[in-house]
Amino acid sequence: MKKKIWMAPARKRARAVLAFCCGSVLASGAHGQLPSIPTGNVSVELQEVASGLNSPVEIVQVNDGSGRLFIVEQGGRIRILKNGAINPTTFLNIANRIQAGGEQGLLGLAFHPGYADSSSPGFRRFYTCQTETSAGPSDFTVPMSGGPASRIVVTEWQVSPTNADLFDDSSGRDVLRFSHPQGNHNGGKIAFRPSDGFLYIASGDGGNRNDVGDGHTPNIGNAQDTSNLLGKILRIDPLLPATTPGSTNPISSNGRYRIPSNNPFVNASGLDEIYAYGFRNPYRFSFDPVGDRLLVGDVGQGAIEEVDLVEAGKNYGWNRKEGSFLFNPANGAVSFDPNPNPAFVNPVLEYDHGDGISVIGGFVYRGSAIPALAGKYVFGDFAGVPFGNGRIFFGDLSNGMIQEARLGVNPRQLGALIKGIGEDLAGEIYLVTDSGGSAGGSVQRLIPIPATPALLNLATRGNVQTGDNILIAGFILTGSEPKDVVIRALGPSLNVNGQPVAGRLSDPTLQIQGSGGASVDVNDWMNHARSQELIDLGLAPSDPLEAAVVVTLSPGTYTAIMRGGNDATGIGLIELYDVERTASANAVNLSTRGLVQTGDDVLIGGLIVGGATTQRVIFRAIGPSLSGRGVTGALANPTLELVDSSGTRIAFNDDWRSDQATEIIGSGLAPESTAEAAIVRALAPGTYTAIVRGAGDTSGVALVEVYRLNP
């Protein structure tokens, strides 16, 4: 992997389909609590690895060297993905013993850490979590005037001694059973923590709404009541105590498992099984081996979705908080919390129902296929607003920033619901998706986008002055991994038809800034550490006073600033070259601000379209709207001309609404002012130039921009 200079930091289907969604769709004031999630610069593609599944909800790895992945279907089956195909033999089928439908069913699967170790009491043992009828026995109950809707049951199974792809139907042993008042908010995720070997169990608050009603503790709700197991993360050693005679951990009241002696409520007020509490519906969680972190996606009520960093004994707020907001259980309203109670732990990531309706917890990316996601928490939403498709997010746990991943080279909607997210032993990420019907489920692996060279060169020529009237170029890289680019600031070598450009900048300097604040300064190109690479690429400037650099940049937003050495002024050229065309990343935008004058002292933007495919782009000439961003002397009425390599005019625009208005608006890049100009064109491979002038030979500061659009 290349060493990077920096990493840039960076919305329903029919309600019948939404039955699984675990979260309430509507609530008063549900939108607008938090900023909208922006589209990030990281691009991913999806590779379907399994299809024809019936309501899949999870995919789980087994650390036995087989490379198998196990797919949990909500109706009660577990299928094996083996050697790139679904095994024709069903690994497990307990449809006859579970209660499925809506949010109920077979919800969780975990393999004991000693599954592949013949010396371990966990050898060949695995566990499921499912909803079953309330008719059977429960180890824990809650007071109700009527009967509970179901029981949550954690069951231990063994694999067949003669066929590793088949479970032993006679081996079932119920480990833990507790009553569940209503049919929703079941949680259901189970997993062993690598660092302690114990089984963690996600339990919802018992259902209904707001954690109130029959079967919910009056005044405080189940999630805040440590005398029941609802709305909690539980931790146990699920093995039969007789198989672990040397353990000092106490045996449970039902005699079927042990309780870690350092669980926070052992020898304290509260049930010993509880690890953490204050959850509504912690549907999916994961462990990040770096830092041994437990990350829980807790599905919200009507306003906020959250991801929590969970630690022993802590209270995550429900039903007094929804995310970082105060929650009113009487009416479901949320409000800003002016004085946060330190007893409640706020989430590390949160978003409101303007962006989605049910968080699907994921994993911190520790794979190698998509370097741009390294260390980011990859998760999703079941059916994001407004399109009713699942959305793929990645979050920065250090600062709470959430961004949406771009799906494909030409970004598209997912076109399915997300019901789960999984990880293989290599740390690669899988989506469990569903398009409805009895065979509409699939599993998709996240992979890098293909290398697709598009805009190979982006350049702008303008008049470099002093102060704020310098040449400032912003550019965007999108993709799955870092890539090498060359950025140059030219002056002395500028010529037209072999003749030097009058008034050219004698000594240009270059500064490159990332959105995180890091920067690289370049003066004379020959003095830079990677100068030989410029020579080898054939991009070394012809004048030693010019500035150029090869840099390795991750997908992100960057700024290149061109000045004159010792405050010199003159005509300069700033340009970007894509020099690593096999990398899964692309430059998709260049925006350059400069001073537009008359004659030859105008703002000129150039680009080279590479490859063999037509590229659809939008050019913009921005002036008046710069005033609202603090720019003085903005060009009042910019015009935009587009010419090809022969100098033939392809298009001209003065007022963007006069031509292509519908297409420009549809691009999402319509200028703010009607006096500004824009052109959308599909360009064949070749060289093109965009020229910004002031109407009536007026002068001022303007911005020339080019963006790559979807076809």
Side-chain angles (χ1 to χ4, degrees), residues 433-462:
T433 65
D434 200 351
S435 299
S438 62
S442 65
V443 176
Q444 321 264 352
R445 179 167 52 219
L446 269 63
I447 61 173
I449 61 169
T452 50
L455 308 185
L456 305 185
N457 166 253
L458 298 162
T460 306
R461 197 194 86 173

PDB file of all heavy atoms in Angstrom, residues 433-462:
ATOM      1  N   THR A 433     -28.622  -8.157   1.751  1.00  0.00           N
ATOM      2  CA  THR A 433     -29.660  -7.306   1.181  1.00  0.00           C
ATOM      3  C   THR A 433     -30.898  -8.118   0.808  1.00  0.00           C
ATOM      4  O   THR A 433     -30.847  -9.343   0.666  1.00  0.00           O
ATOM      5  CB  THR A 433     -29.139  -6.573  -0.074  1.00  0.00           C
ATOM      6  OG1 THR A 433     -28.838  -7.531  -1.098  1.00  0.00           O
ATOM      7  CG2 THR A 433     -27.888  -5.766   0.244  1.00  0.00           C
ATOM      8  N   ASP A 434     -32.007  -7.419   0.629  1.00  0.00           N
ATOM      9  CA  ASP A 434     -33.276  -8.082   0.318  1.00  0.00           C
ATOM     10  C   ASP A 434     -34.119  -7.182  -0.565  1.00  0.00           C
ATOM     11  O   ASP A 434     -34.322  -6.008  -0.258  1.00  0.00           O
ATOM     12  CB  ASP A 434     -34.030  -8.402   1.613  1.00  0.00           C
ATOM     13  CG  ASP A 434     -35.088  -9.490   1.419  1.00  0.00           C
ATOM     14  OD1 ASP A 434     -35.344  -9.867   0.257  1.00  0.00           O
ATOM     15  OD2 ASP A 434     -35.654  -9.943   2.424  1.00  0.00           O
ATOM     16  N   SER A 435     -34.598  -7.739  -1.660  1.00  0.00           N
ATOM     17  CA  SER A 435     -35.497  -7.021  -2.566  1.00  0.00           C
ATOM     18  C   SER A 435     -36.935  -7.493  -2.442  1.00  0.00           C
ATOM     19  O   SER A 435     -37.787  -7.107  -3.228  1.00  0.00           O
ATOM     20  CB  SER A 435     -35.024  -7.182  -4.020  1.00  0.00           C
ATOM     21  OG  SER A 435     -33.730  -6.640  -4.187  1.00  0.00           O
ATOM     22  N   GLY A 436     -37.203  -8.362  -1.447  1.00  0.00           N
ATOM     23  CA  GLY A 436     -38.560  -8.851  -1.219  1.00  0.00           C
ATOM     24  C   GLY A 436     -38.813 -10.183  -1.890  1.00  0.00           C
ATOM     25  O   GLY A 436     -38.042 -10.672  -2.724  1.00  0.00           O
ATOM     26  N   GLY A 437     -39.935 -10.820  -1.499  1.00  0.00           N
ATOM     27  CA  GLY A 437     -40.277 -12.120  -2.045  1.00  0.00           C
ATOM     28  C   GLY A 437     -39.527 -13.230  -1.338  1.00  0.00           C
ATOM     29  O   GLY A 437     -38.665 -13.009  -0.485  1.00  0.00           O
ATOM     30  N   SER A 438     -39.823 -14.474  -1.729  1.00  0.00           N
ATOM     31  CA  SER A 438     -39.227 -15.622  -1.066  1.00  0.00           C
ATOM     32  C   SER A 438     -37.809 -15.924  -1.517  1.00  0.00           C
ATOM     33  O   SER A 438     -37.135 -16.761  -0.916  1.00  0.00           O
ATOM     34  CB  SER A 438     -40.101 -16.865  -1.305  1.00  0.00           C
ATOM     35  OG  SER A 438     -40.168 -17.167  -2.695  1.00  0.00           O
ATOM     36  N   ALA A 439     -37.338 -15.271  -2.568  1.00  0.00           N
ATOM     37  CA  ALA A 439     -35.980 -15.520  -3.056  1.00  0.00           C
ATOM     38  C   ALA A 439     -35.289 -14.226  -3.464  1.00  0.00           C
ATOM     39  O   ALA A 439     -34.403 -14.226  -4.311  1.00  0.00           O
ATOM     40  CB  ALA A 439     -36.011 -16.491  -4.236  1.00  0.00           C
ATOM     41  N   GLY A 440     -35.678 -13.119  -2.831  1.00  0.00           N
ATOM     42  CA  GLY A 440     -35.119 -11.824  -3.209  1.00  0.00           C
ATOM     43  C   GLY A 440     -33.906 -11.407  -2.413  1.00  0.00           C
ATOM     44  O   GLY A 440     -33.404 -10.294  -2.582  1.00  0.00           O
ATOM     45  N   GLY A 441     -33.422 -12.281  -1.535  1.00  0.00           N
ATOM     46  CA  GLY A 441     -32.276 -11.934  -0.716  1.00  0.00           C
ATOM     47  C   GLY A 441     -30.960 -12.256  -1.382  1.00  0.00           C
ATOM     48  O   GLY A 441     -30.855 -13.187  -2.185  1.00  0.00           O
ATOM     49  N   SER A 442     -29.946 -11.505  -1.040  1.00  0.00           N
ATOM     50  CA  SER A 442     -28.622 -11.740  -1.603  1.00  0.00           C
ATOM     51  C   SER A 442     -27.551 -11.276  -0.637  1.00  0.00           C
ATOM     52  O   SER A 442     -27.821 -10.565   0.331  1.00  0.00           O
ATOM     53  CB  SER A 442     -28.462 -11.025  -2.953  1.00  0.00           C
ATOM     54  OG  SER A 442     -28.525  -9.621  -2.781  1.00  0.00           O
ATOM     55  N   VAL A 443     -26.314 -11.673  -0.923  1.00  0.00           N
ATOM     56  CA  VAL A 443     -25.142 -11.205  -0.182  1.00  0.00           C
ATOM     57  C   VAL A 443     -24.197 -10.555  -1.172  1.00  0.00           C
ATOM     58  O   VAL A 443     -23.899 -11.129  -2.231  1.00  0.00           O
ATOM     59  CB  VAL A 443     -24.449 -12.356   0.557  1.00  0.00           C
ATOM     60  CG1 VAL A 443     -23.173 -11.861   1.231  1.00  0.00           C
ATOM     61  CG2 VAL A 443     -25.384 -12.982   1.586  1.00  0.00           C
ATOM     62  N   GLN A 444     -23.733  -9.367  -0.849  1.00  0.00           N
ATOM     63  CA  GLN A 444     -22.860  -8.601  -1.733  1.00  0.00           C
ATOM     64  C   GLN A 444     -21.585  -8.241  -0.985  1.00  0.00           C
ATOM     65  O   GLN A 444     -21.642  -7.727   0.126  1.00  0.00           O
ATOM     66  CB  GLN A 444     -23.546  -7.295  -2.166  1.00  0.00           C
ATOM     67  CG  GLN A 444     -25.025  -7.404  -2.454  1.00  0.00           C
ATOM     68  CD  GLN A 444     -25.301  -7.589  -3.924  1.00  0.00           C
ATOM     69  OE1 GLN A 444     -24.395  -7.484  -4.743  1.00  0.00           O
ATOM     70  NE2 GLN A 444     -26.546  -7.865  -4.265  1.00  0.00           N
ATOM     71  N   ARG A 445     -20.449  -8.513  -1.605  1.00  0.00           N
ATOM     72  CA  ARG A 445     -19.180  -8.127  -1.006  1.00  0.00           C
ATOM     73  C   ARG A 445     -18.758  -6.752  -1.511  1.00  0.00           C
ATOM     74  O   ARG A 445     -18.865  -6.452  -2.706  1.00  0.00           O
ATOM     75  CB  ARG A 445     -18.108  -9.158  -1.356  1.00  0.00           C
ATOM     76  CG  ARG A 445     -16.722  -8.836  -0.781  1.00  0.00           C
ATOM     77  CD  ARG A 445     -15.772 -10.016  -0.870  1.00  0.00           C
ATOM     78  NE  ARG A 445     -15.717 -10.546  -2.221  1.00  0.00           N
ATOM     79  CZ  ARG A 445     -15.643 -11.849  -2.506  1.00  0.00           C
ATOM     80  NH1 ARG A 445     -15.655 -12.740  -1.527  1.00  0.00           N
ATOM     81  NH2 ARG A 445     -15.576 -12.248  -3.764  1.00  0.00           N
ATOM     82  N   LEU A 446     -18.256  -5.913  -0.605  1.00  0.00           N
ATOM     83  CA  LEU A 446     -17.724  -4.623  -1.004  1.00  0.00           C
ATOM     84  C   LEU A 446     -16.357  -4.826  -1.642  1.00  0.00           C
ATOM     85  O   LEU A 446     -15.466  -5.457  -1.055  1.00  0.00           O
ATOM     86  CB  LEU A 446     -17.592  -3.687   0.199  1.00  0.00           C
ATOM     87  CG  LEU A 446     -18.793  -2.787   0.522  1.00  0.00           C
ATOM     88  CD1 LEU A 446     -20.006  -3.618   0.899  1.00  0.00           C
ATOM     89  CD2 LEU A 446     -18.445  -1.799   1.628  1.00  0.00           C
ATOM     90  N   ILE A 447     -16.176  -4.289  -2.838  1.00  0.00           N
ATOM     91  CA  ILE A 447     -14.914  -4.379  -3.558  1.00  0.00           C
ATOM     92  C   ILE A 447     -14.565  -3.000  -4.100  1.00  0.00           C
ATOM     93  O   ILE A 447     -15.420  -2.101  -4.133  1.00  0.00           O
ATOM     94  CB  ILE A 447     -14.991  -5.408  -4.714  1.00  0.00           C
ATOM     95  CG1 ILE A 447     -16.070  -4.993  -5.730  1.00  0.00           C
ATOM     96  CG2 ILE A 447     -15.262  -6.804  -4.182  1.00  0.00           C
ATOM     97  CD1 ILE A 447     -16.090  -5.863  -6.989  1.00  0.00           C
ATOM     98  N   PRO A 448     -13.325  -2.790  -4.530  1.00  0.00           N
ATOM     99  CA  PRO A 448     -12.983  -1.486  -5.109  1.00  0.00           C
ATOM    100  C   PRO A 448     -13.648  -1.288  -6.457  1.00  0.00           C
ATOM    101  O   PRO A 448     -13.977  -2.248  -7.153  1.00  0.00           O
ATOM    102  CB  PRO A 448     -11.458  -1.546  -5.238  1.00  0.00           C
ATOM    103  CG  PRO A 448     -11.132  -3.001  -5.267  1.00  0.00           C
ATOM    104  CD  PRO A 448     -12.167  -3.682  -4.423  1.00  0.00           C
ATOM    105  N   ILE A 449     -13.847  -0.036  -6.813  1.00  0.00           N
ATOM    106  CA  ILE A 449     -14.341   0.258  -8.152  1.00  0.00           C
ATOM    107  C   ILE A 449     -13.264  -0.126  -9.163  1.00  0.00           C
ATOM    108  O   ILE A 449     -12.070  -0.141  -8.837  1.00  0.00           O
ATOM    109  CB  ILE A 449     -14.715   1.748  -8.318  1.00  0.00           C
ATOM    110  CG1 ILE A 449     -13.493   2.646  -8.088  1.00  0.00           C
ATOM    111  CG2 ILE A 449     -15.869   2.123  -7.402  1.00  0.00           C
ATOM    112  CD1 ILE A 449     -13.709   4.094  -8.488  1.00  0.00           C
ATOM    113  N   PRO A 450     -13.640  -0.440 -10.396  1.00  0.00           N
ATOM    114  CA  PRO A 450     -12.615  -0.725 -11.404  1.00  0.00           C
ATOM    115  C   PRO A 450     -11.848   0.531 -11.770  1.00  0.00           C
ATOM    116  O   PRO A 450     -12.356   1.648 -11.636  1.00  0.00           O
ATOM    117  CB  PRO A 450     -13.435  -1.248 -12.591  1.00  0.00           C
ATOM    118  CG  PRO A 450     -14.786  -0.638 -12.414  1.00  0.00           C
ATOM    119  CD  PRO A 450     -15.010  -0.561 -10.932  1.00  0.00           C
ATOM    120  N   ALA A 451     -10.622   0.356 -12.191  1.00  0.00           N
ATOM    121  CA  ALA A 451      -9.840   1.488 -12.671  1.00  0.00           C
ATOM    122  C   ALA A 451     -10.441   1.973 -13.978  1.00  0.00           C
ATOM    123  O   ALA A 451     -10.501   1.225 -14.959  1.00  0.00           O
ATOM    124  CB  ALA A 451      -8.380   1.079 -12.868  1.00  0.00           C
ATOM    125  N   THR A 452     -10.900   3.210 -13.997  1.00  0.00           N
ATOM    126  CA  THR A 452     -11.583   3.759 -15.177  1.00  0.00           C
ATOM    127  C   THR A 452     -11.074   5.160 -15.453  1.00  0.00           C
ATOM    128  O   THR A 452     -11.692   6.147 -15.042  1.00  0.00           O
ATOM    129  CB  THR A 452     -13.107   3.803 -14.957  1.00  0.00           C
ATOM    130  OG1 THR A 452     -13.382   4.432 -13.700  1.00  0.00           O
ATOM    131  CG2 THR A 452     -13.695   2.415 -14.949  1.00  0.00           C
ATOM    132  N   PRO A 453      -9.929   5.299 -16.099  1.00  0.00           N
ATOM    133  CA  PRO A 453      -9.409   6.637 -16.398  1.00  0.00           C
ATOM    134  C   PRO A 453     -10.442   7.469 -17.133  1.00  0.00           C
ATOM    135  O   PRO A 453     -11.030   7.020 -18.114  1.00  0.00           O
ATOM    136  CB  PRO A 453      -8.191   6.349 -17.281  1.00  0.00           C
ATOM    137  CG  PRO A 453      -7.811   4.935 -16.966  1.00  0.00           C
ATOM    138  CD  PRO A 453      -9.098   4.233 -16.656  1.00  0.00           C
ATOM    139  N   ALA A 454     -10.665   8.675 -16.661  1.00  0.00           N
ATOM    140  CA  ALA A 454     -11.706   9.534 -17.244  1.00  0.00           C
ATOM    141  C   ALA A 454     -11.129  10.905 -17.569  1.00  0.00           C
ATOM    142  O   ALA A 454     -10.746  11.176 -18.699  1.00  0.00           O
ATOM    143  CB  ALA A 454     -12.891   9.633 -16.288  1.00  0.00           C
ATOM    144  N   LEU A 455     -11.032  11.772 -16.550  1.00  0.00           N
ATOM    145  CA  LEU A 455     -10.456  13.100 -16.751  1.00  0.00           C
ATOM    146  C   LEU A 455      -8.978  13.011 -16.395  1.00  0.00           C
ATOM    147  O   LEU A 455      -8.606  12.984 -15.228  1.00  0.00           O
ATOM    148  CB  LEU A 455     -11.176  14.133 -15.882  1.00  0.00           C
ATOM    149  CG  LEU A 455     -12.705  14.154 -16.002  1.00  0.00           C
ATOM    150  CD1 LEU A 455     -13.291  15.295 -15.185  1.00  0.00           C
ATOM    151  CD2 LEU A 455     -13.155  14.263 -17.459  1.00  0.00           C
ATOM    152  N   LEU A 456      -8.131  12.950 -17.409  1.00  0.00           N
ATOM    153  CA  LEU A 456      -6.713  12.687 -17.180  1.00  0.00           C
ATOM    154  C   LEU A 456      -5.934  13.947 -16.854  1.00  0.00           C
ATOM    155  O   LEU A 456      -4.863  13.873 -16.253  1.00  0.00           O
ATOM    156  CB  LEU A 456      -6.103  12.021 -18.411  1.00  0.00           C
ATOM    157  CG  LEU A 456      -6.806  10.735 -18.874  1.00  0.00           C
ATOM    158  CD1 LEU A 456      -6.035  10.119 -20.012  1.00  0.00           C
ATOM    159  CD2 LEU A 456      -6.970   9.758 -17.716  1.00  0.00           C
ATOM    160  N   ASN A 457      -6.435  15.090 -17.281  1.00  0.00           N
ATOM    161  CA  ASN A 457      -5.750  16.344 -16.994  1.00  0.00           C
ATOM    162  C   ASN A 457      -6.796  17.439 -16.799  1.00  0.00           C
ATOM    163  O   ASN A 457      -7.774  17.527 -17.540  1.00  0.00           O
ATOM    164  CB  ASN A 457      -4.811  16.731 -18.144  1.00  0.00           C
ATOM    165  CG  ASN A 457      -4.346  18.181 -18.054  1.00  0.00           C
ATOM    166  OD1 ASN A 457      -4.788  19.021 -18.820  1.00  0.00           O
ATOM    167  ND2 ASN A 457      -3.471  18.467 -17.100  1.00  0.00           N
ATOM    168  N   LEU A 458      -6.590  18.246 -15.775  1.00  0.00           N
ATOM    169  CA  LEU A 458      -7.446  19.399 -15.499  1.00  0.00           C
ATOM    170  C   LEU A 458      -6.529  20.589 -15.266  1.00  0.00           C
ATOM    171  O   LEU A 458      -5.597  20.496 -14.445  1.00  0.00           O
ATOM    172  CB  LEU A 458      -8.318  19.153 -14.264  1.00  0.00           C
ATOM    173  CG  LEU A 458      -9.304  17.982 -14.355  1.00  0.00           C
ATOM    174  CD1 LEU A 458      -9.781  17.572 -12.963  1.00  0.00           C
ATOM    175  CD2 LEU A 458     -10.488  18.364 -15.222  1.00  0.00           C
ATOM    176  N   ALA A 459      -6.768  21.681 -15.970  1.00  0.00           N
ATOM    177  CA  ALA A 459      -5.852  22.809 -15.879  1.00  0.00           C
ATOM    178  C   ALA A 459      -6.600  24.126 -15.964  1.00  0.00           C
ATOM    179  O   ALA A 459      -7.675  24.207 -16.566  1.00  0.00           O
ATOM    180  CB  ALA A 459      -4.804  22.728 -16.995  1.00  0.00           C
ATOM    181  N   THR A 460      -6.027  25.157 -15.345  1.00  0.00           N
ATOM    182  CA  THR A 460      -6.606  26.501 -15.427  1.00  0.00           C
ATOM    183  C   THR A 460      -5.495  27.519 -15.586  1.00  0.00           C
ATOM    184  O   THR A 460      -4.493  27.483 -14.849  1.00  0.00           O
ATOM    185  CB  THR A 460      -7.412  26.848 -14.170  1.00  0.00           C
ATOM    186  OG1 THR A 460      -8.379  25.833 -13.952  1.00  0.00           O
ATOM    187  CG2 THR A 460      -8.120  28.180 -14.346  1.00  0.00           C
ATOM    188  N   ARG A 461      -5.680  28.436 -16.544  1.00  0.00           N
ATOM    189  CA  ARG A 461      -4.756  29.549 -16.718  1.00  0.00           C
ATOM    190  C   ARG A 461      -5.418  30.834 -16.286  1.00  0.00           C
ATOM    191  O   ARG A 461      -6.576  31.096 -16.646  1.00  0.00           O
ATOM    192  CB  ARG A 461      -4.316  29.666 -18.180  1.00  0.00           C
ATOM    193  CG  ARG A 461      -3.069  30.511 -18.370  1.00  0.00           C
ATOM    194  CD  ARG A 461      -2.854  30.886 -19.820  1.00  0.00           C
ATOM    195  NE  ARG A 461      -3.590  32.095 -20.175  1.00  0.00           N
ATOM    196  CZ  ARG A 461      -3.467  32.715 -21.357  1.00  0.00           C
ATOM    197  NH1 ARG A 461      -2.685  32.204 -22.280  1.00  0.00           N
ATOM    198  NH2 ARG A 461      -4.156  33.809 -21.610  1.00  0.00           N
ATOM    199  N   GLY A 462      -4.718  31.629 -15.479  1.00  0.00           N
ATOM    200  CA  GLY A 462      -5.294  32.882 -15.016  1.00  0.00           C
ATOM    201  C   GLY A 462      -4.232  33.862 -14.589  1.00  0.00           C
ATOM    202  O   GLY A 462      -3.027  33.579 -14.617  1.00  0.00           O
TER     203      GLY A 462
END
